[in-house]
Amino acid sequence: MQRLPIVLCLGFGLIIGTGASLAVAQPSPDITVRQDDNRTLKEYRVNGELYAIEIVPRQGASYFLIDDDGDGNFKRRDAARVEVPDWVTGDE
């Protein structure tokens, strides 16, 4: 009977430890801000690689242009924030 609490504690410890190791910190991007007449452009770079541009219009909702695979083709994404793609960090 005394083994059950020990086994449960060890099991919870493994679950918590595994979950913590799965959380990988995203690199902090360098953000360059440029002002235009009708909008603000925010360029997001990691290791010098441009992977996202946030467009913030004077009126309306902001959106991102994202290069998902490093080919230079940016696609629009309506989102509050973006993750750094794997091709930028080398985690492919």
Side-chain angles (χ1 to χ4, degrees), residues 33-41 55-56 58:
V33 179
R34 294 188 296 137
Q35 200 67 35
D36 198 339
D37 288 336
N38 297 319
R39 62 189 178 183
T40 300
L41 303 174
I55 313 295
V56 183
R58 245 184 221 192

Side-chain angles (χ1 to χ4, degrees), residues 11-23:
F12 286 130
L14 280 173
I15 292 169
I16 292 170
T18 303
S21 67
L22 293 177

Side-chain angles (χ1 to χ4, degrees), residues 75-91:
K75 297 176 188 121
R76 181 176 173 151
R77 187 173 306 155
D78 296 318
R81 64 185 201 79
V82 295
E83 300 289 325
V84 178
D86 289 340
W87 70 267
V88 175
T89 59
D91 292 340

Side-chain angles (χ1 to χ4, degrees), residues 7-64:
V7 170
L8 288 176
C9 287
L10 290 174
F12 286 130
L14 280 173
I15 292 169
I16 292 170
T18 303
S21 67
L22 293 177
V24 177
Q26 288 281 308
S28 181
D30 294 320
I31 302 172
T32 303
V33 179
R34 294 188 296 137
Q35 200 67 35
D36 198 339
D37 288 336
N38 297 319
R39 62 189 178 183
T40 300
L41 303 174
K42 298 180 182 179
E43 299 175 346
Y44 290 73
R45 288 182 172 81
V46 169
N47 299 327
E49 298 285 351
L50 177 66
Y51 68 91
I53 303 168
E54 183 179 7
I55 313 295
V56 183
R58 245 184 221 192
Q59 295 181 351
S62 64
Y63 59 93
F64 285 90

